[in-house]
């Protein structure tokens, strides 16, 4: 094969030529992979070949070694591993040689492919000489700048691809040596130094041992500080990115450097180009995040000495807050026209909000003079900055500190909704939404809203919602939090009843606005509408909610008539259907709490027809929302839902097997539980299909792990619902639960989310066993006797742990009770031979949690009856 010719043909303008070339390459890769690797690495390394074909060779090599999909990725790995070692060695040599190419496309591609090979080989303790070879490139007396740059790129990419535990300490030392050499501003060009700083950024996670050593840490910090003071903007920005990473990774080692870091970041935020200044502010945002997390941990554990809290933010605020307030005045004229914009003003405001969360009341006296000094100035920038500052400090300080400011500021903000400047109006609407979010909680006796001013506030917001789309979106947020405050104070929900019709009309009109390309406005309007419905008093607004349901059903029906001529049209249709299904769900939930079920009966058939039509539109996002609405319909209609099952069950089973869109699968599992509650044992004819799908889900390696705990809890719901009829599923289900229990004990818990997931998994296993035991208790309890020892042992293993959450304890204690209750005398010996249950129940009876004490008392009674039987 003429490799160069075929590669160039894949870029041909002629479709047929392109397709043939792509087919040839694919065939070559599939049928002769070792030769494919050799041919493409030879193409990449040959300086006589065209840069385009070399770049394409690099892309194909990279793609042959990695994939986003985990199953495909594993195939790529196994395929490389199975190649003859001599061929692999030749390919790797060729890649390393290409780093010296003067053609940037070639050496950049080569550094990326080297990292992909390293990601397979280094964890397997292969290619140990790679780091040594790369370090050698940096120390060669005749090394060209392009070789150094490519080598540093390769080091950076390797650090990005492999885990810290995969590199030996001497390899990490070599990486850091190479990187620090590359950062030397006397010897190296700015391109080499930029590559070096980026490589250091990726290597920081590996440098824990080096950071624990004071002299090494001092040296690394000195080099980064020097680089952060250089003239080149991109190199400087990369150095500040390193500071941001160090702030989160090595917070507890930063104290000796904070004075220098404050000076560098303050200077950058005030005088440097925006990309550098943004990273300087991000450094302080990261310090705030770390300190807020430490405070939360201390509050959770009650142990003030459990973590090293250096109070960097608190010590810095006399200088840090004025610096951040200055940045608020650096707005851009057109920032309200671009959704994705991120500038100094926004970064400064966000950081100020994090400072407020970290230092609480202490921030208020530092910010108030700025607000008072700027809020009435003629320049819009001052008014907008003052309003932004006010909104930014509302989360963190105590309600006692903020309430007087909120009361005083509310009228000011309401008047500012009429400001002549669009920026000021938008920030004002946002500040109002923050005011209602944090200072409107009637349930806690705190609110800036009173009977006297509510009517005026609603009137202002209903006027403002007609403003430009970006302002209207923020007004939706204000209405959302206004309603939510009353929703959380149930008896007061009728306070909004007089305004219900106006609010609904305004939000429907806002969702329909044609002057907005911003799909977020439509979504905000419908989400706010949902909150208004949730908050409403159904006795007072029933007729209006019925009219709203009819309107939403009409709109949902119209979406099926849309002319779909592009993927964008399809996306708009899907988004709108998802939002409308969301409103249907909220209205159905509202009706479920109403005594008169005739309202639901009147519309249930029409709703179901519409929701089934939504399933025929192929979009997982819509499926998810439609599934949730069907769950709400099942809950609301109860036994009457049975008539929809012949048509619906096939969609339910499809949802349960939707591995690709795992959220749909997860929601479908929740709907099974809703249907079990609604239909009781009438669900039986559909259980084979449902249980088949659930067991298939549990055994699948493709399905996202987050769906598996809800599946196990759902199996418990099914067993509880169909009782003795669960017998035929026991031989398939219990071994799966046993396997999951064993997996829990083998899990490596390196991350917080692993611990959380493990607890979730264990709780769901407890719930599944409890459901099965309660289900078979009356007539088939003997089915579970063979498994009793394993279940009891698993419960003991989990409940002996100190660090378990409360939900897990409750589920575990309940399971011990269900085991004794269902199997009775059959497990008397098991209980007699164990002191664990009496220790456990003794501890639980002393708990502060009333529900846990009650459960423990019931379990104690059940066990006592078994022991005297």
């Amino acid at each position: 094969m003429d490799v160069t010719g075929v590669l160039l043909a894949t870029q041909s303008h002629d479709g047929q030529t392109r397709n043939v070339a792509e087919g040839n390459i694919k065939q070559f890769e599939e049928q002769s992979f070792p030769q494919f690797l050799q041919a493409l690495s030879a193409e990449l390394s040959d300086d006589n070949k065209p840069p385009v074909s070399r770049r394409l060779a690099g892309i194909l090599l990279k793609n042959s070694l990695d994939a986003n999909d985990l199953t495909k990725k594993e195939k790529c790995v196994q395929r490389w591993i199975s190649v003859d070692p001599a061929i692999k060695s030749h390919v790797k040599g060729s890649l390393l040689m290409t780093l010296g190419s003067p053609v940037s496309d070639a050496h950049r591609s080569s550094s990326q492919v080297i990292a992909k090979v390293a990601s397979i080989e280094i964890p397997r303790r292969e290619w140990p000489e790679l780091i040594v070879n790369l370090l050698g490139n940096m120390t060669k007396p005749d090394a060209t700048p392009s070789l150094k740059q490519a080598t540093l790129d390769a080091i950076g990419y390797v650090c990005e691809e492999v885990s810290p535990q995969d590199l030996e300490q001497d390899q990490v030392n070599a990486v850091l040596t190479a990187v620090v050499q590359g950062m030397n501003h006397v010897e190296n060009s700015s391109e080499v130094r930029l590559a070096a700083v980026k490589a250091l950024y990726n290597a920081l996670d590996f440098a824990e041992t080096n950071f624990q050593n004071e002299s090494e840490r001092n040296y690394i910090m000195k080099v980064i500080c020097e680089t952060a003071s250089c003239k080149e903007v991109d190199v400087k920005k990369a150095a500040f990115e390193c500071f941001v990473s160090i702030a989160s990774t090595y917070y507890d080692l930063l104290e000796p450097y904070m004075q220098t870091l404050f000076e560098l970041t303050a200077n950058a935020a005030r005088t440097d180009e925006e990309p550098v200044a943004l990273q300087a502010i991000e450094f302080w945002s990261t310090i705030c995040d770390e300190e807020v997390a430490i405070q939360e941990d201390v509050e959770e554990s009650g142990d003030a000495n459990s973590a090293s809290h250096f109070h960097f933010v608190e010590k810095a605020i006399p200088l840090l807050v004025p610096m951040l307030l200055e940045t608020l005045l650096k707005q851009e004229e057109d920032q309200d026209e671009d959704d994705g914009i991120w500038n100094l003003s926004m970064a400064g405001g966000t950081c100020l909000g994090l400072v407020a969360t970290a230092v609480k009341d202490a921030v208020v006296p530092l910010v108030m003079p700025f607000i008072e000094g700027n809020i009435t100035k003629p320049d819009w920038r001052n008014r907008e900055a003052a309003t932004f500052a006010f909104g930014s400090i509302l989360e963190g300080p105590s309600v006692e500190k903020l309430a007087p400011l909120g009361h005083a500021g509310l009228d000011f903000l309401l008047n500012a909704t009429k400001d002549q400047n669009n920026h000021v109006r938008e920030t004002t609407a946002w500040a109002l939404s923050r005011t209602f979010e944090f200072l409107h909680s009637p349930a806690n006796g705190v609110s800036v809203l009173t009977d006297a001013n509510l009517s005026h506030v609603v009137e202002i917001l209903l006027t403002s919602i007609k403003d430009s789309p970006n302002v209207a979106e923020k007004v939706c947020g204000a209405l959302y939090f206004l309603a939510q405050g009353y929703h959380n104070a149930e008896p007061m929900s009728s306070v909004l009843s007089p305004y219900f019709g106006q609010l609904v009309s305004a939000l429907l009109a806002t969702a329909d606005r044609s002057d907005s390309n911003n799909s977020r406005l439509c979504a905000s309007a419908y989400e706010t509408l949902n909150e208004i419905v949730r908050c409403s008093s159904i006795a007072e607004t029933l007729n209006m909610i019925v009219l709203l349901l009819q309107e939403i059903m009409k709109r949902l029906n119209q979406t099926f008539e849309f002319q779909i001529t592009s993927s964008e049209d399809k996306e708009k249709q899907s988004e709108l259907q998802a939002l409308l299904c969301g409103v249907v769900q909220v209205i159905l939930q509202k009706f479920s709490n109403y005594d008169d079920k005739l309202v639901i009966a009147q519309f249930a058939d029409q709703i179901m027809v519409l929701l089934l039509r939504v399933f025929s539109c192929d979009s997982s996002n819509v499926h998810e929302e439609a599934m949730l609405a069907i769950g709400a319909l099942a809950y609301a209609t109860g036994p009457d839902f049975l008539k929809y099952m012949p048509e619906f069950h096939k969609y339910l089973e499809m949802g349960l097997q939707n591995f690709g869109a795992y959220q749909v699968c997860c929601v479908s599992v929740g709907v099974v539980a809703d249907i079990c509650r609604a239909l009781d044992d009438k669900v039986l004819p559909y259980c084979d299909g449902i249980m088949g799908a659930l067991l298939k889900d549990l055994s699948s390696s493709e399905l996202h792990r987050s769906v598996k705990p809800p599946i196990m809890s759902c199996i418990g719901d099914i067993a509880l619902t169909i009782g003795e009829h669960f017998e035929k599923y026991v031989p398939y289900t219990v071994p799966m639960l046993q396997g999951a229990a064993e997996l829990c004990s083998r899990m490596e818990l390196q991350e917080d989310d692993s611990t959380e997931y493990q607890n979730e998994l264990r709780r769901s296993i407890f719930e599944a066993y409890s459901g099965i035991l309660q289900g078979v208790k009356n007539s088939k309890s003997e089915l579970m006797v063979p498994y009793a020892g394993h279940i009891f042992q698993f419960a003991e293993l989990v409940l002996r742990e100190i660090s378990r959450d409360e939900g897990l304890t409750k589920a575990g204690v309940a399971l011990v009770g269900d085991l004794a209750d269902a199997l009775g005398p059959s497990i008397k010996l098991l209980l007699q031979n164990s002191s664990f249950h009496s220790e456990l129940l003794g501890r639980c009876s002393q708990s502060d949690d009333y529900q846990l004490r009650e459960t423990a008392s019931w379990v104690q009674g059940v066990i006592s009856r078994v022991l005297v039987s």
Side-chain angles (χ1 to χ4, degrees):
M1 183 191 281
D2 166 20
V3 173
T4 310
V6 175
L7 287 169
L8 294 174
T10 63
Q11 304 295 291
S12 167
H13 294 299
D14 176 55
Q16 192 179 355
T17 307
R18 199 168 57 244
N19 290 340
V20 169
E22 286 169 359
N24 286 338
I25 295 235
K26 195 171 175 44
Q27 190 180 5
F28 187 19
E29 181 182 358
E30 286 169 359
Q31 293 179 1
S32 321
F33 186 60
Q35 289 72 31
F36 171 84
L37 292 170
Q38 285 179 298
L40 289 182
S41 59
E43 184 78 18
L44 179 59
S45 65
D46 189 342
D47 281 338
N48 296 314
K49 297 288 184 181
V52 175
S53 69
R54 296 177 75 183
R55 183 171 54 80
L56 291 170
I59 291 170
L60 288 167
L61 280 170
K62 189 162 64 111
N63 293 347
S64 74
L65 298 168
D66 195 12
N68 291 329
D69 178 80
L70 287 176
T71 314
K72 289 180 184 166
K73 185 186 182 87
E74 186 51 34
K75 280 183 185 160
C76 292
V77 169
Q78 292 307 323
R79 188 169 64 168
W80 169 266
I81 289 169
S82 63
V83 171
D84 182 311
I87 292 177
K88 286 194 286 195
S89 178
H90 178 76
V91 168
K92 291 187 291 192
S94 177
L95 291 169
L96 286 168
M97 189 179 77
T98 310
L99 293 176
S101 169
V103 179
S104 64
D105 271 354
H107 66 65
R108 191 179 301 115
S109 292
S110 182
S111 61
Q112 290 171 341
V113 181
I114 285 169
K116 292 298 177 190
V117 175
S119 73
I120 300 172
E121 297 211 338
I122 286 179
R124 298 166 53 82
R125 298 288 178 257
E126 294 169 358
W127 209 3
E129 68 279 12
L130 169 63
I131 303 294
V132 178
N133 287 339
L134 293 174
L135 182 59
N137 285 349
M138 295 302 296
T139 52
K140 271 184 192 169
D142 58 344
T144 60
S146 72
L147 172 61
K148 286 184 176 181
Q149 185 186 346
T151 299
L152 289 162
D153 283 343
I155 289 172
Y157 293 137
V158 168
C159 290
E160 214 174 349
E161 291 286 342
V162 304
S163 298
Q165 63 268 24
D166 293 333
L167 284 186
E168 304 290 348
Q169 188 55 43
D170 60 343
Q171 293 177 305
V172 174
N173 295 342
V175 163
L176 292 173
T177 303
V179 165
V180 169
Q181 280 179 349
M183 288 167 75
N184 183 322
H185 63 94
V186 178
E187 291 177 22
N188 295 310
S189 66
S190 62
E191 290 81 9
V192 171
R193 280 160 49 231
L194 178 61
V197 187
K198 287 183 171 177
L200 176 61
Y201 178 84
N202 286 329
L204 284 169
D205 280 346
F206 296 76
E208 189 174 346
T209 304
N210 310 81
F211 261 79
Q212 296 300 338
N213 177 314
E214 189 182 353
S215 61
E216 291 187 35
R217 180 174 72 245
N218 286 343
Y219 186 63
I220 293 169
M221 291 300 288
K222 174 175 167 287
V223 171
I224 305 173
C225 288
E226 284 170 0
T227 308
S229 306
C230 73
K231 291 187 175 63
E232 297 91 348
V233 173
D234 48 0
V235 178
K236 207 170 188 173
K237 172 177 174 266
F240 276 97
E241 284 171 348
C242 287
F243 287 144
V244 173
S245 176
I246 289 167
S248 70
T249 313
Y250 301 113
Y251 166 87
D252 53 339
L253 298 171
L254 277 180
E255 193 174 31
Y257 316 103
M258 284 308 286
Q259 182 62 42
T260 306
L261 289 169
F262 181 82
E263 287 164 13
L264 281 168
T265 51
N267 191 38
R270 287 198 167 103
T271 62
D272 266 321
E273 288 82 351
E274 187 171 88
V276 180
L278 285 172
Q279 288 305 317
I281 294 170
E282 185 62 25
F283 171 79
W284 283 102
S285 293
T286 306
I287 294 286
C288 289
D289 284 336
E290 289 301 312
E291 298 200 338
V292 169
I294 291 168
Q295 285 166 18
E296 285 171 357
D297 288 347
V298 167
E299 282 163 23
E300 229 171 81
S301 66
D303 178 7
N305 303 316
S306 63
S308 44
H309 190 337
F310 291 97
H311 301 277
F312 293 138
V313 180
E314 198 179 313
K315 291 170 189 167
I317 53 170
L319 297 169
L320 176 61
V321 169
M323 174 193 98
L324 294 172
L325 292 170
E326 273 180 50
T327 65
L328 300 188
L329 292 159
K330 297 181 179 177
Q331 308 96 322
E332 290 170 21
E333 286 285 350
D334 58 349
Q335 68 184 32
D336 57 339
E337 292 165 23
D338 182 356
D339 289 341
I341 198 161
W342 183 248
N343 58 30
L344 267 183
S345 161
M346 290 175 169
T350 302
C351 187
L352 182 61
L354 290 167
V355 169
T357 310
V359 303
K360 304 189 176 0
D361 288 3
V363 80
V364 177
L366 294 168
V367 175
M368 283 316 294
F370 177 83
I371 295 172
E372 289 158 358
N374 287 281
I375 196 79
T376 55
K377 282 199 173 165
D379 187 339
W380 72 266
R381 291 177 187 280
N382 297 75
R383 298 196 304 280
E384 195 273 341
T387 312
F388 193 7
F390 178 76
S392 297
I393 61 168
L394 293 177
E395 184 179 9
S398 63
V399 168
E400 293 75 20
K401 190 81 174 172
L402 291 173
L405 307 178
H407 284 288
L410 182 62
D411 282 340
F412 217 102
L413 290 172
L414 293 171
N415 287 332
T417 58
K418 304 181 188 76
D419 194 284
Q420 72 267 33
N421 181 275
N422 188 63
H423 291 284
V424 177
R425 294 198 305 278
E426 181 182 5
T427 304
T428 299
W430 169 80
L432 278 168
S433 80
R434 298 268 294 177
T435 304
F436 298 147
E437 183 178 0
F438 298 109
L439 297 176
H440 167 52
S441 178
N444 299 321
V446 176
S447 182
V448 291
L449 296 173
T450 61
D451 292 345
N453 67 11
L454 178 61
S455 161
H456 178 56
V457 170
V458 172
E459 184 189 339
I460 294 270
L461 293 175
L462 287 175
T463 304
S464 272
I465 205 168
K466 296 170 186 161
D467 203 331
S468 61
N470 54 320
V471 176
E473 189 197 333
K474 304 294 190 299
V475 174
C476 287
L479 286 168
Y480 179 94
F481 287 114
L482 184 147
Q484 192 178 68
Y486 290 123
H487 181 209
N488 295 338
E490 280 301 338
M492 297 189 68
S493 60
S494 61
V495 171
L496 283 184
S497 295
Y499 313 103
F500 185 82
Q502 289 171 277
L503 290 167
V504 166
S505 300
L507 290 163
L508 288 172
T510 303
D512 279 347
R513 280 175 65 156
S514 57
D515 63 339
S516 170
N517 298 321
N518 179 354
S519 63
R520 286 214 318 264
L521 175 59
C522 180
S524 296
Y526 280 119
E527 282 160 16
T528 305
L529 181 63
N530 290 344
E531 197 58 28
I532 301 278
V533 172
R534 280 191 204 101
C535 161
S536 63
S537 160
I538 193 160
E540 295 170 9
T541 55
L542 177 64
N543 291 338
M544 285 187 279
I545 294 179
V546 168
L547 288 172
L548 173 61
L549 176 61
Q550 289 172 305
E551 173 63 26
I552 296 295
M553 284 161 59
K554 184 179 97 181
R555 290 175 176 223
L556 190 52
N557 201 25
Q558 284 167 350
T559 63
F560 304 121
E561 313 303 322
F562 284 5
Q563 293 296 309
I564 308 293
T565 56
S566 67
S567 59
E568 197 179 318
D569 290 343
K570 181 71 195 153
E571 198 177 323
K572 278 185 180 168
Q573 181 197 43
S574 299
E575 281 175 10
L576 184 55
Q577 286 177 340
L579 292 167
L580 293 167
C581 287
V583 184
V584 171
Q585 181 201 354
V586 171
I587 293 174
L588 286 168
Q589 286 168 337
K590 197 74 190 172
F591 285 156
S592 299
N593 302 326
Y594 188 55
D595 296 336
D596 184 356
K597 299 298 177 196
L598 284 174
V599 181
I600 291 177
Q602 187 185 343
F603 295 104
D605 288 1
Q606 289 167 266
I607 293 171
M608 195 66 190
V609 166
L610 283 171
L611 294 174
L612 289 174
R613 279 192 78 181
V614 168
F615 282 117
S616 62
C617 299
D618 184 29
S619 164
S620 61
N621 177 30
V622 180
H623 284 193
E624 191 179 339
E625 297 298 331
M627 215 33 114
L628 285 165
I630 285 176
L633 185 65
Y635 186 82
T637 53
D640 294 340
F641 191 81
L642 185 62
K643 63 180 174 181
Y644 306 123
M645 284 303 288
E647 181 62 24
F648 172 59
H649 81 94
K650 60 186 179 199
Y651 292 112
L652 178 61
E653 286 171 29
M654 278 160 58
L656 290 172
Q657 287 171 45
N658 193 340
F659 295 170
Y662 68 88
Q663 297 92 336
V664 178
C665 185
C666 197
V667 167
S668 304
V669 171
V671 171
V672 171
D674 290 332
I675 289 170
C676 286
R677 281 190 285 274
L679 300 186
D680 210 39
D681 59 357
K682 294 189 177 64
V683 77
L684 199 55
Y686 303 98
C687 280
D688 281 359
I690 291 170
M691 279 300 296
L694 292 175
L695 292 170
K696 197 169 167 188
D697 285 351
L698 281 181
S699 57
S700 163
S701 58
E702 284 175 56
L703 182 62
H704 195 275
R705 70 176 194 172
S706 64
V707 188
K708 297 199 174 182
I711 289 174
M712 287 190 245
S713 302
C714 180
I715 286 173
D717 288 333
I718 293 171
L720 195 54
T721 303
I722 63 174
E724 62 185 36
H725 300 291
F726 195 79
E727 177 181 3
K728 62 178 172 181
Y729 307 120
V730 168
Y732 307 102
T733 305
V734 175
M736 285 223 177
L737 295 175
Q738 288 175 323
E742 279 165 31
L743 174 71
C744 283
S745 59
R746 291 200 311 271
M747 273 177 82
E748 289 180 21
L749 303 179
Q750 289 156 342
E751 305 289 338
D752 285 350
D753 63 345
S754 313
T755 311
E756 206 174 299
Y757 177 71
Q758 188 196 47
N759 281 334
E760 213 182 316
L761 192 59
R762 297 193 295 194
R763 186 170 69 242
S764 67
I765 296 168
F766 285 165
E767 287 168 355
Y769 277 136
S770 277
I772 296 169
L773 287 162
Q774 288 176 44
V776 301
K777 177 173 75 171
N778 293 330
S779 54
K780 296 280 174 123
S781 60
E782 69 280 359
L783 288 171
M784 294 302 289
V785 173
Y787 308 111
H790 177 272
I791 295 173
F792 191 78
Q793 191 185 358
F794 175 58
E796 178 174 354
L797 185 73
V798 173
L799 294 171
R800 277 198 186 282
E801 278 186 17
I802 307 298
S803 62
R804 56 174 192 275
D805 66 15
E806 234 164 58
L808 183 60
T809 306
K810 285 179 192 169
V813 171
L815 173 59
V816 173
D818 288 328
L819 196 62
D821 190 35
L823 306 187
S826 310
I827 61 159
K828 182 175 177 179
L829 201 59
L830 189 66
L831 293 170
Q832 281 173 338
N833 292 339
S834 167
S835 60
F836 156 69
H837 55 84
S838 51
E839 291 166 24
L840 171 71
L841 297 173
R843 282 200 307 274
C844 293
S845 64
Q846 306 296 313
S847 168
D848 297 337
D849 188 301
Y850 172 75
Q851 199 185 351
L852 182 56
R853 291 201 306 275
E854 285 287 288
T855 306
S857 169
W858 168 74
V859 176
Q860 189 65 67
V862 174
I863 289 178
S864 301
R865 285 196 296 279
V866 172
L867 291 174
V868 299
S869 61

